[in-house]
Amino acid sequence: MAAGASGASAASDLEMSCPIESLPSDTSRGIDSETQKTSRKRNTATGTAISGDFIRVSAGESAEFHFHRTDRLKSWAKRVTSNKFTTQAMAGVILFDAYCNCGDIDARALGNKAPEVYQVGAAVCLVLYTLEASLVLFGQGLQVLHDRVFLIDLCVIICGYVEMILDALSSEAIVASFGILRLLRLAR
C-alpha cells in the first residue's frame, strides 16, 4: 500500500509541477493504482514490448511484384547467360569451333576443298555466339559495352560474319590473296 500511495503522490507532484492545467490523472482515465502497478511489473518482467502499425494488404490485392514483360525477359536473359550450364556449354561450343576451324585451315593449306561439315559447324557456332551476345546485350543493357571482354567477343563475332560474307561473295583466287582472312579465322 505504501508503494501505491507513493505512486499516487508522485502523480500529484507531477500534476502540480506541470504547467499544463488540464493534465488528466490516472484515476480520471479509469486506471487505478493496482492496475498500473501490475502492468509495470508485466512490462519490466518480460522486457520491452514492441508493437507497430503495419501496412496490410487487402484480400483482393496481390503481394507479388508486377514486372513488365521486358523486365521479366531481361531477368531471364541475365539468368541464362550467367548460368553455369550455359557457360560450360559455350566452352564446348568454342572447342568445337576451334576443331572445325583447324580442320578447315588444314584442308585449305593442303589445297583441298574443306569438307562441308567444318563450314556448317563453324556457321552454327557463329550463330550460337551471336545468340549469346544478343542475350547478354539485352539482359545487361548498353552498360555491357564498357566491358572489354564483351567487346572482344563482339569483334570475334563481327570477324566471323565478315569472313562468311567474303567467302560467299568472292572466288577462291581472291580469297587466297587475302591473307587477313587467315588472321580473322585465328582471331575467331
Side-chain angles (χ1 to χ4, degrees):
M1 294 260 185
S6 66
S9 66
S12 63
D13 290 341
L14 180 64
E15 287 176 4
M16 295 217 180
S17 64
C18 187
I20 302 173
E21 294 185 26
S22 63
L23 184 66
S25 66
D26 287 340
T27 55
S28 66
R29 288 186 288 165
I31 301 174
D32 60 342
S33 62
E34 281 301 314
T35 307
Q36 187 177 17
K37 188 168 44 169
T38 58
S39 65
R40 283 185 191 159
K41 285 182 183 177
R42 192 173 350 125
N43 286 339
T44 57
T46 60
T48 306
I50 299 174
S51 64
D53 188 21
F54 296 101
I55 301 172
R56 292 184 174 80
V57 177
S58 66
E61 296 178 17
S62 174
E64 298 177 10
F65 293 105
H66 296 288
F67 293 115
H68 295 292
R69 182 173 290 168
T70 56
D71 292 336
R72 284 191 219 150
L73 286 174
K74 283 183 181 185
S75 175
W76 177 81
K78 283 181 186 179
R79 273 196 327 268
V80 166
T81 56
S82 64
N83 189 350
K84 287 183 181 182
F85 176 75
T86 305
T87 305
Q88 298 299 324
M90 289 308 292
V93 168
I94 291 169
L95 290 175
F96 179 69
D97 188 30
Y99 174 76
C100 290
N101 283 328
C102 287
D104 192 25
I105 289 171
D106 287 345
R108 287 185 187 194
L110 292 174
N112 300 334
K113 182 166 171 59
E116 289 292 321
V117 173
Y118 295 143
Q119 293 174 354
V120 170
V124 168
C125 291
L126 186 61
V127 168
L128 290 174
Y129 296 151
T130 305
L131 180 66
E132 181 196 23
S134 299
L135 284 174
V136 168
L137 188 63
F138 178 71
Q140 296 181 9
L142 294 178
Q143 68 187 9
V144 78
L145 294 176
H146 298 290
D147 185 16
R148 291 181 181 171
V149 174
F150 181 78
L151 291 177
I152 291 171
D153 289 344
L154 206 58
C155 287
V156 167
I157 291 169
I158 291 170
C159 289
Y161 282 115
V162 166
E163 181 187 5
M164 284 179 65
I165 290 169
L166 288 177
D167 279 344
L169 295 179
S170 61
S171 65
E172 288 291 326
I174 296 174
V175 171
S177 67
F178 285 115
I180 191 77
L181 286 179
R182 301 250 189 248
L183 292 174
L184 291 178
R185 184 179 294 268
L186 290 175
R188 198 177 72 177

